[in-house]
PDB file of all heavy atoms in Angstrom:
ATOM      1  N   ARG B 244      16.044 -37.484  84.063  1.00 93.00           N
ATOM      2  CA  ARG B 244      17.163 -38.427  84.036  1.00 93.00           C
ATOM      3  C   ARG B 244      18.094 -38.169  85.226  1.00 93.00           C
ATOM      4  O   ARG B 244      18.547 -39.101  85.878  1.00 93.00           O
ATOM      5  CB  ARG B 244      17.919 -38.301  82.707  1.00 93.00           C
ATOM      6  CG  ARG B 244      18.727 -39.534  82.387  1.00 93.00           C
ATOM      7  CD  ARG B 244      19.560 -39.385  81.127  1.00 93.00           C
ATOM      8  NE  ARG B 244      18.833 -38.797  80.021  1.00 93.00           N
ATOM      9  CZ  ARG B 244      19.343 -37.877  79.206  1.00 93.00           C
ATOM     10  NH1 ARG B 244      20.558 -37.435  79.403  1.00 93.00           N
ATOM     11  NH2 ARG B 244      18.623 -37.426  78.224  1.00 93.00           N
ATOM     12  N   ALA B 245      18.330 -36.887  85.495  1.00 94.00           N
ATOM     13  CA  ALA B 245      19.224 -36.522  86.611  1.00 94.00           C
ATOM     14  C   ALA B 245      18.626 -37.054  87.931  1.00 94.00           C
ATOM     15  O   ALA B 245      19.353 -37.630  88.782  1.00 94.00           O
ATOM     16  CB  ALA B 245      19.399 -35.034  86.681  1.00 94.00           C
ATOM     17  N   ALA B 246      17.321 -36.901  88.109  1.00 93.00           N
ATOM     18  CA  ALA B 246      16.665 -37.335  89.332  1.00 93.00           C
ATOM     19  C   ALA B 246      16.773 -38.856  89.468  1.00 93.00           C
ATOM     20  O   ALA B 246      17.087 -39.388  90.558  1.00 93.00           O
ATOM     21  CB  ALA B 246      15.218 -36.916  89.357  1.00 93.00           C
ATOM     22  N   ASP B 247      16.535 -39.553  88.369  1.00 92.00           N
ATOM     23  CA  ASP B 247      16.607 -41.011  88.392  1.00 92.00           C
ATOM     24  C   ASP B 247      18.018 -41.478  88.742  1.00 92.00           C
ATOM     25  O   ASP B 247      18.215 -42.379  89.562  1.00 92.00           O
ATOM     26  CB  ASP B 247      16.182 -41.608  87.035  1.00 92.00           C
ATOM     27  CG  ASP B 247      14.691 -41.444  86.786  1.00 92.00           C
ATOM     28  OD1 ASP B 247      13.994 -41.118  87.741  1.00 92.00           O
ATOM     29  OD2 ASP B 247      14.266 -41.609  85.635  1.00 92.00           O
ATOM     30  N   ASP B 248      19.007 -40.853  88.077  1.00 92.00           N
ATOM     31  CA  ASP B 248      20.424 -41.234  88.331  1.00 92.00           C
ATOM     32  C   ASP B 248      20.773 -41.017  89.791  1.00 92.00           C
ATOM     33  O   ASP B 248      21.400 -41.865  90.431  1.00 92.00           O
ATOM     34  CB  ASP B 248      21.368 -40.391  87.433  1.00 92.00           C
ATOM     35  CG  ASP B 248      21.270 -40.810  85.999  1.00 92.00           C
ATOM     36  OD1 ASP B 248      20.624 -41.843  85.710  1.00 92.00           O
ATOM     37  OD2 ASP B 248      21.800 -40.087  85.126  1.00 92.00           O
ATOM     38  N   PHE B 249      20.382 -39.834  90.314  1.00 92.00           N
ATOM     39  CA  PHE B 249      20.707 -39.518  91.705  1.00 92.00           C
ATOM     40  C   PHE B 249      20.031 -40.509  92.641  1.00 92.00           C
ATOM     41  O   PHE B 249      20.685 -41.049  93.555  1.00 92.00           O
ATOM     42  CB  PHE B 249      20.224 -38.073  92.037  1.00 92.00           C
ATOM     43  CG  PHE B 249      20.469 -37.682  93.454  1.00 92.00           C
ATOM     44  CD1 PHE B 249      21.721 -37.202  93.865  1.00 92.00           C
ATOM     45  CD2 PHE B 249      19.465 -37.808  94.427  1.00 92.00           C
ATOM     46  CE1 PHE B 249      21.949 -36.865  95.203  1.00 92.00           C
ATOM     47  CE2 PHE B 249      19.676 -37.471  95.744  1.00 92.00           C
ATOM     48  CZ  PHE B 249      20.936 -36.982  96.123  1.00 92.00           C
ATOM     49  N   ASN B 250      18.743 -40.768  92.426  1.00 91.00           N
ATOM     50  CA  ASN B 250      18.022 -41.664  93.322  1.00 91.00           C
ATOM     51  C   ASN B 250      18.573 -43.094  93.233  1.00 91.00           C
ATOM     52  O   ASN B 250      18.607 -43.803  94.258  1.00 91.00           O
ATOM     53  CB  ASN B 250      16.522 -41.637  93.013  1.00 91.00           C
ATOM     54  CG  ASN B 250      15.932 -40.276  93.345  1.00 91.00           C
ATOM     55  OD1 ASN B 250      16.468 -39.573  94.216  1.00 91.00           O
ATOM     56  ND2 ASN B 250      14.881 -39.888  92.668  1.00 91.00           N
ATOM     57  N   ASP B 251      19.023 -43.488  92.034  1.00 90.00           N
ATOM     58  CA  ASP B 251      19.634 -44.818  91.900  1.00 90.00           C
ATOM     59  C   ASP B 251      20.940 -44.894  92.700  1.00 90.00           C
ATOM     60  O   ASP B 251      21.248 -45.879  93.315  1.00 90.00           O
ATOM     61  CB  ASP B 251      19.922 -45.110  90.415  1.00 90.00           C
ATOM     62  CG  ASP B 251      18.666 -45.452  89.663  1.00 90.00           C
ATOM     63  OD1 ASP B 251      17.622 -45.676  90.332  1.00 90.00           O
ATOM     64  OD2 ASP B 251      18.685 -45.482  88.429  1.00 90.00           O
ATOM     65  N   TRP B 252      21.676 -43.776  92.601  1.00 87.00           N
ATOM     66  CA  TRP B 252      22.958 -43.727  93.284  1.00 87.00           C
ATOM     67  C   TRP B 252      22.768 -43.792  94.804  1.00 87.00           C
ATOM     68  O   TRP B 252      23.485 -44.535  95.502  1.00 87.00           O
ATOM     69  CB  TRP B 252      23.686 -42.410  92.907  1.00 87.00           C
ATOM     70  CG  TRP B 252      24.921 -42.143  93.736  1.00 87.00           C
ATOM     71  CD1 TRP B 252      26.036 -42.899  93.768  1.00 87.00           C
ATOM     72  CD2 TRP B 252      25.103 -41.067  94.620  1.00 87.00           C
ATOM     73  NE1 TRP B 252      26.934 -42.357  94.638  1.00 87.00           N
ATOM     74  CE2 TRP B 252      26.395 -41.219  95.190  1.00 87.00           C
ATOM     75  CE3 TRP B 252      24.315 -39.963  95.013  1.00 87.00           C
ATOM     76  CZ2 TRP B 252      26.906 -40.317  96.118  1.00 87.00           C
ATOM     77  CZ3 TRP B 252      24.868 -39.070  95.929  1.00 87.00           C
ATOM     78  CH2 TRP B 252      26.128 -39.252  96.489  1.00 87.00           C
ATOM     79  N   ILE B 253      21.775 -43.066  95.287  1.00 83.00           N
ATOM     80  CA  ILE B 253      21.514 -43.062  96.733  1.00 83.00           C
ATOM     81  C   ILE B 253      20.966 -44.410  97.156  1.00 83.00           C
ATOM     82  O   ILE B 253      21.319 -44.932  98.220  1.00 83.00           O
ATOM     83  CB  ILE B 253      20.475 -41.951  97.105  1.00 83.00           C
ATOM     84  CG1 ILE B 253      21.103 -40.571  96.885  1.00 83.00           C
ATOM     85  CG2 ILE B 253      19.933 -42.096  98.510  1.00 83.00           C
ATOM     86  CD1 ILE B 253      22.222 -40.243  97.891  1.00 83.00           C
ATOM     87  N   GLY B 254      20.149 -45.026  96.293  1.00 79.00           N
ATOM     88  CA  GLY B 254      19.544 -46.303  96.631  1.00 79.00           C
ATOM     89  C   GLY B 254      18.400 -46.077  97.600  1.00 79.00           C
ATOM     90  O   GLY B 254      18.236 -44.955  98.132  1.00 79.00           O
ATOM     91  N   SER B 255      17.615 -47.080  97.832  1.00 70.00           N
ATOM     92  CA  SER B 255      16.488 -46.882  98.752  1.00 70.00           C
ATOM     93  C   SER B 255      16.621 -47.857  99.911  1.00 70.00           C
ATOM     94  O   SER B 255      16.273 -49.017  99.831  1.00 70.00           O
ATOM     95  CB  SER B 255      15.179 -47.124  98.015  1.00 70.00           C
ATOM     96  OG  SER B 255      14.117 -46.893  98.916  1.00 70.00           O
ATOM     97  N   GLY B 256      17.178 -47.289 100.993  1.00 72.00           N
ATOM     98  CA  GLY B 256      17.324 -48.133 102.199  1.00 72.00           C
ATOM     99  C   GLY B 256      16.152 -47.977 103.121  1.00 72.00           C
ATOM    100  O   GLY B 256      16.120 -48.575 104.211  1.00 72.00           O
ATOM    101  N   GLY B 257      15.171 -47.218 102.716  1.00 75.00           N
ATOM    102  CA  GLY B 257      13.974 -47.031 103.522  1.00 75.00           C
ATOM    103  C   GLY B 257      14.158 -46.024 104.625  1.00 75.00           C
ATOM    104  O   GLY B 257      13.257 -45.797 105.442  1.00 75.00           O
ATOM    105  N   ASP B 258      15.339 -45.365 104.651  1.00 82.00           N
ATOM    106  CA  ASP B 258      15.580 -44.351 105.687  1.00 82.00           C
ATOM    107  C   ASP B 258      14.828 -43.074 105.341  1.00 82.00           C
ATOM    108  O   ASP B 258      14.946 -42.548 104.246  1.00 82.00           O
ATOM    109  CB  ASP B 258      17.091 -44.082 105.721  1.00 82.00           C
ATOM    110  CG  ASP B 258      17.484 -43.109 106.827  1.00 82.00           C
ATOM    111  OD1 ASP B 258      16.537 -42.505 107.410  1.00 82.00           O
ATOM    112  OD2 ASP B 258      18.678 -42.978 107.101  1.00 82.00           O
ATOM    113  N   GLU B 259      14.069 -42.562 106.313  1.00 84.00           N
ATOM    114  CA  GLU B 259      13.263 -41.387 106.005  1.00 84.00           C
ATOM    115  C   GLU B 259      14.112 -40.116 105.867  1.00 84.00           C
ATOM    116  O   GLU B 259      13.640 -39.088 105.396  1.00 84.00           O
ATOM    117  CB  GLU B 259      12.138 -41.193 107.028  1.00 84.00           C
ATOM    118  CG  GLU B 259      12.637 -40.911 108.436  1.00 84.00           C
ATOM    119  CD  GLU B 259      11.472 -40.592 109.375  1.00 84.00           C
ATOM    120  OE1 GLU B 259      10.330 -40.470 108.893  1.00 84.00           O
ATOM    121  OE2 GLU B 259      11.725 -40.469 110.583  1.00 84.00           O
ATOM    122  N   PHE B 260      15.367 -40.178 106.317  1.00 87.00           N
ATOM    123  CA  PHE B 260      16.243 -39.002 106.175  1.00 87.00           C
ATOM    124  C   PHE B 260      17.148 -39.102 104.942  1.00 87.00           C
ATOM    125  O   PHE B 260      18.023 -38.252 104.737  1.00 87.00           O
ATOM    126  CB  PHE B 260      17.072 -38.821 107.449  1.00 87.00           C
ATOM    127  CG  PHE B 260      16.240 -38.385 108.626  1.00 87.00           C
ATOM    128  CD1 PHE B 260      15.844 -39.277 109.607  1.00 87.00           C
ATOM    129  CD2 PHE B 260      15.790 -37.067 108.714  1.00 87.00           C
ATOM    130  CE1 PHE B 260      15.031 -38.876 110.652  1.00 87.00           C
ATOM    131  CE2 PHE B 260      14.985 -36.661 109.785  1.00 87.00           C
ATOM    132  CZ  PHE B 260      14.597 -37.557 110.735  1.00 87.00           C
ATOM    133  N   GLU B 261      16.922 -40.145 104.162  1.00 90.00           N
ATOM    134  CA  GLU B 261      17.640 -40.305 102.906  1.00 90.00           C
ATOM    135  C   GLU B 261      17.311 -39.143 101.956  1.00 90.00           C
ATOM    136  O   GLU B 261      16.147 -38.771 101.864  1.00 90.00           O
ATOM    137  CB  GLU B 261      17.109 -41.572 102.255  1.00 90.00           C
ATOM    138  CG  GLU B 261      18.147 -42.526 101.773  1.00 90.00           C
ATOM    139  CD  GLU B 261      17.439 -43.822 101.391  1.00 90.00           C
ATOM    140  OE1 GLU B 261      16.393 -43.757 100.716  1.00 90.00           O
ATOM    141  OE2 GLU B 261      17.945 -44.859 101.785  1.00 90.00           O
ATOM    142  N   PRO B 262      18.305 -38.593 101.254  1.00 93.00           N
ATOM    143  CA  PRO B 262      17.951 -37.547 100.288  1.00 93.00           C
ATOM    144  C   PRO B 262      17.256 -38.159  99.055  1.00 93.00           C
ATOM    145  O   PRO B 262      17.638 -39.223  98.600  1.00 93.00           O
ATOM    146  CB  PRO B 262      19.297 -36.933  99.906  1.00 93.00           C
ATOM    147  CG  PRO B 262      20.319 -37.973 100.266  1.00 93.00           C
ATOM    148  CD  PRO B 262      19.731 -38.829 101.353  1.00 93.00           C
ATOM    149  N   VAL B 263      16.254 -37.446  98.591  1.00 92.00           N
ATOM    150  CA  VAL B 263      15.519 -37.869  97.396  1.00 92.00           C
ATOM    151  C   VAL B 263      15.450 -36.693  96.452  1.00 92.00           C
ATOM    152  O   VAL B 263      15.219 -35.557  96.865  1.00 92.00           O
ATOM    153  CB  VAL B 263      14.065 -38.300  97.764  1.00 92.00           C
ATOM    154  CG1 VAL B 263      13.291 -38.720  96.548  1.00 92.00           C
ATOM    155  CG2 VAL B 263      14.108 -39.437  98.777  1.00 92.00           C
ATOM    156  N   MET B 264      15.673 -36.966  95.163  1.00 93.00           N
ATOM    157  CA  MET B 264      15.601 -35.876  94.197  1.00 93.00           C
ATOM    158  C   MET B 264      14.335 -36.029  93.328  1.00 93.00           C
ATOM    159  O   MET B 264      13.993 -37.127  92.921  1.00 93.00           O
ATOM    160  CB  MET B 264      16.850 -35.874  93.284  1.00 93.00           C
ATOM    161  CG  MET B 264      16.882 -34.681  92.342  1.00 93.00           C
ATOM    162  SD  MET B 264      18.236 -34.764  91.143  1.00 93.00           S
ATOM    163  CE  MET B 264      19.614 -34.376  92.180  1.00 93.00           C
ATOM    164  N   GLY B 265      13.693 -34.943  93.089  1.00 90.00           N
ATOM    165  CA  GLY B 265      12.541 -34.935  92.178  1.00 90.00           C
ATOM    166  C   GLY B 265      12.689 -33.746  91.245  1.00 90.00           C
ATOM    167  O   GLY B 265      13.254 -32.716  91.638  1.00 90.00           O
ATOM    168  N   ASN B 266      12.172 -33.886  90.049  1.00 89.00           N
ATOM    169  CA  ASN B 266      12.249 -32.716  89.165  1.00 89.00           C
ATOM    170  C   ASN B 266      10.977 -31.883  89.342  1.00 89.00           C
ATOM    171  O   ASN B 266      10.076 -32.241  90.101  1.00 89.00           O
ATOM    172  CB  ASN B 266      12.488 -33.139  87.716  1.00 89.00           C
ATOM    173  CG  ASN B 266      11.256 -33.788  87.071  1.00 89.00           C
ATOM    174  OD1 ASN B 266      10.293 -34.077  87.745  1.00 89.00           O
ATOM    175  ND2 ASN B 266      11.368 -34.043  85.787  1.00 89.00           N
ATOM    176  N   LEU B 267      10.941 -30.768  88.650  1.00 86.00           N
ATOM    177  CA  LEU B 267       9.854 -29.803  88.856  1.00 86.00           C
ATOM    178  C   LEU B 267       8.479 -30.426  88.711  1.00 86.00           C
ATOM    179  O   LEU B 267       7.587 -30.205  89.522  1.00 86.00           O
ATOM    180  CB  LEU B 267      10.051 -28.654  87.838  1.00 86.00           C
ATOM    181  CG  LEU B 267       9.119 -27.469  87.935  1.00 86.00           C
ATOM    182  CD1 LEU B 267       9.896 -26.187  87.670  1.00 86.00           C
ATOM    183  CD2 LEU B 267       7.980 -27.531  86.911  1.00 86.00           C
ATOM    184  N   ARG B 268       8.325 -31.244  87.712  1.00 82.00           N
ATOM    185  CA  ARG B 268       7.015 -31.873  87.460  1.00 82.00           C
ATOM    186  C   ARG B 268       6.567 -32.744  88.608  1.00 82.00           C
ATOM    187  O   ARG B 268       5.358 -32.868  88.863  1.00 82.00           O
ATOM    188  CB  ARG B 268       7.106 -32.737  86.214  1.00 82.00           C
ATOM    189  CG  ARG B 268       6.624 -32.088  84.940  1.00 82.00           C
ATOM    190  CD  ARG B 268       6.747 -33.090  83.827  1.00 82.00           C
ATOM    191  NE  ARG B 268       5.706 -34.108  83.946  1.00 82.00           N
ATOM    192  CZ  ARG B 268       4.479 -33.961  83.508  1.00 82.00           C
ATOM    193  NH1 ARG B 268       4.126 -32.821  82.917  1.00 82.00           N
ATOM    194  NH2 ARG B 268       3.592 -34.911  83.636  1.00 82.00           N
ATOM    195  N   GLN B 269       7.561 -33.361  89.269  1.00 79.00           N
ATOM    196  CA  GLN B 269       7.203 -34.375  90.274  1.00 79.00           C
ATOM    197  C   GLN B 269       6.865 -33.741  91.626  1.00 79.00           C
ATOM    198  O   GLN B 269       6.644 -34.473  92.598  1.00 79.00           O
ATOM    199  CB  GLN B 269       8.351 -35.379  90.432  1.00 79.00           C
ATOM    200  CG  GLN B 269       8.613 -36.205  89.175  1.00 79.00           C
ATOM    201  CD  GLN B 269      10.011 -36.792  89.154  1.00 79.00           C
ATOM    202  OE1 GLN B 269      10.885 -36.395  89.905  1.00 79.00           O
ATOM    203  NE2 GLN B 269      10.215 -37.751  88.274  1.00 79.00           N
ATOM    204  N   GLN B 270       6.852 -32.437  91.689  1.00 77.00           N
ATOM    205  CA  GLN B 270       6.684 -31.784  92.999  1.00 77.00           C
ATOM    206  C   GLN B 270       5.440 -30.923  93.092  1.00 77.00           C
ATOM    207  O   GLN B 270       5.007 -30.332  92.096  1.00 77.00           O
ATOM    208  CB  GLN B 270       7.911 -30.913  93.266  1.00 77.00           C
ATOM    209  CG  GLN B 270       9.195 -31.702  93.312  1.00 77.00           C
ATOM    210  CD  GLN B 270      10.380 -30.792  93.491  1.00 77.00           C
ATOM    211  OE1 GLN B 270      10.397 -30.014  94.420  1.00 77.00           O
ATOM    212  NE2 GLN B 270      11.315 -30.883  92.568  1.00 77.00           N
ATOM    213  N   SER B 271       4.978 -30.794  94.309  1.00 62.00           N
ATOM    214  CA  SER B 271       3.886 -29.889  94.677  1.00 62.00           C
ATOM    215  C   SER B 271       2.695 -29.955  93.726  1.00 62.00           C
ATOM    216  O   SER B 271       2.069 -28.959  93.417  1.00 62.00           O
ATOM    217  CB  SER B 271       4.439 -28.447  94.675  1.00 62.00           C
ATOM    218  OG  SER B 271       5.581 -28.360  95.427  1.00 62.00           O
ATOM    219  N   GLY B 272       2.419 -31.142  93.253  1.00 67.00           N
ATOM    220  CA  GLY B 272       1.257 -31.302  92.365  1.00 67.00           C
ATOM    221  C   GLY B 272       1.414 -30.586  91.045  1.00 67.00           C
ATOM    222  O   GLY B 272       0.460 -30.374  90.323  1.00 67.00           O
ATOM    223  N   LEU B 273       2.701 -30.271  90.718  1.00 70.00           N
ATOM    224  CA  LEU B 273       2.916 -29.511  89.500  1.00 70.00           C
ATOM    225  C   LEU B 273       2.679 -30.334  88.238  1.00 70.00           C
ATOM    226  O   LEU B 273       2.382 -29.785  87.182  1.00 70.00           O
ATOM    227  CB  LEU B 273       4.341 -28.942  89.466  1.00 70.00           C
ATOM    228  CG  LEU B 273       4.479 -27.619  90.162  1.00 70.00           C
ATOM    229  CD1 LEU B 273       5.958 -27.182  90.154  1.00 70.00           C
ATOM    230  CD2 LEU B 273       3.653 -26.550  89.488  1.00 70.00           C
ATOM    231  N   ALA B 274       2.827 -31.668  88.384  1.00 73.00           N
ATOM    232  CA  ALA B 274       2.586 -32.515  87.216  1.00 73.00           C
ATOM    233  C   ALA B 274       1.173 -32.279  86.687  1.00 73.00           C
ATOM    234  O   ALA B 274       0.974 -32.030  85.497  1.00 73.00           O
ATOM    235  CB  ALA B 274       2.787 -33.967  87.567  1.00 73.00           C
ATOM    236  N   THR B 275       0.214 -32.297  87.631  1.00 75.00           N
ATOM    237  CA  THR B 275      -1.182 -32.083  87.256  1.00 75.00           C
ATOM    238  C   THR B 275      -1.350 -30.691  86.670  1.00 75.00           C
ATOM    239  O   THR B 275      -1.974 -30.507  85.637  1.00 75.00           O
ATOM    240  CB  THR B 275      -2.092 -32.245  88.488  1.00 75.00           C
ATOM    241  OG1 THR B 275      -1.699 -33.405  89.176  1.00 75.00           O
ATOM    242  CG2 THR B 275      -3.538 -32.356  88.079  1.00 75.00           C
ATOM    243  N   THR B 276      -0.760 -29.694  87.403  1.00 71.00           N
ATOM    244  CA  THR B 276      -0.920 -28.303  86.926  1.00 71.00           C
ATOM    245  C   THR B 276      -0.315 -28.107  85.531  1.00 71.00           C
ATOM    246  O   THR B 276      -0.957 -27.532  84.668  1.00 71.00           O
ATOM    247  CB  THR B 276      -0.179 -27.352  87.913  1.00 71.00           C
ATOM    248  OG1 THR B 276      -0.604 -27.651  89.205  1.00 71.00           O
ATOM    249  CG2 THR B 276      -0.450 -25.898  87.575  1.00 71.00           C
ATOM    250  N   LEU B 277       0.900 -28.684  85.358  1.00 73.00           N
ATOM    251  CA  LEU B 277       1.559 -28.513  84.058  1.00 73.00           C
ATOM    252  C   LEU B 277       0.822 -29.277  82.964  1.00 73.00           C
ATOM    253  O   LEU B 277       0.668 -28.780  81.857  1.00 73.00           O
ATOM    254  CB  LEU B 277       3.026 -28.962  84.130  1.00 73.00           C
ATOM    255  CG  LEU B 277       3.918 -28.029  84.948  1.00 73.00           C
ATOM    256  CD1 LEU B 277       5.341 -28.590  85.013  1.00 73.00           C
ATOM    257  CD2 LEU B 277       3.944 -26.619  84.345  1.00 73.00           C
ATOM    258  N   ASP B 278       0.377 -30.492  83.313  1.00 78.00           N
ATOM    259  CA  ASP B 278      -0.362 -31.283  82.306  1.00 78.00           C
ATOM    260  C   ASP B 278      -1.636 -30.560  81.928  1.00 78.00           C
ATOM    261  O   ASP B 278      -1.999 -30.467  80.744  1.00 78.00           O
ATOM    262  CB  ASP B 278      -0.699 -32.675  82.874  1.00 78.00           C
ATOM    263  CG  ASP B 278       0.505 -33.590  82.869  1.00 78.00           C
ATOM    264  OD1 ASP B 278       1.522 -33.203  82.253  1.00 78.00           O
ATOM    265  OD2 ASP B 278       0.467 -34.638  83.529  1.00 78.00           O
ATOM    266  N   LEU B 279      -2.301 -30.022  82.990  1.00 78.00           N
ATOM    267  CA  LEU B 279      -3.561 -29.304  82.726  1.00 78.00           C
ATOM    268  C   LEU B 279      -3.275 -28.057  81.893  1.00 78.00           C
ATOM    269  O   LEU B 279      -3.961 -27.798  80.890  1.00 78.00           O
ATOM    270  CB  LEU B 279      -4.179 -28.928  84.061  1.00 78.00           C
ATOM    271  CG  LEU B 279      -5.629 -28.436  83.990  1.00 78.00           C
ATOM    272  CD1 LEU B 279      -6.541 -29.549  83.528  1.00 78.00           C
ATOM    273  CD2 LEU B 279      -6.105 -27.931  85.350  1.00 78.00           C
TER     274      LEU B 279
END
Side-chain angles (χ1 to χ4, degrees):
Chain B
R244 202 184 313 139
D247 289 347
D248 289 351
F249 178 83
N250 293 334
D251 285 348
W252 171 63
I253 292 293
S255 182
D258 183 349
E259 65 175 352
F260 290 102
E261 229 170 45
V263 179
M264 185 186 286
N266 72 352
L267 185 140
R268 263 182 73 83
Q269 295 160 345
Q270 299 176 54
S271 309
L273 274 177
T275 314
T276 309
L277 289 177
D278 285 348
L279 192 65

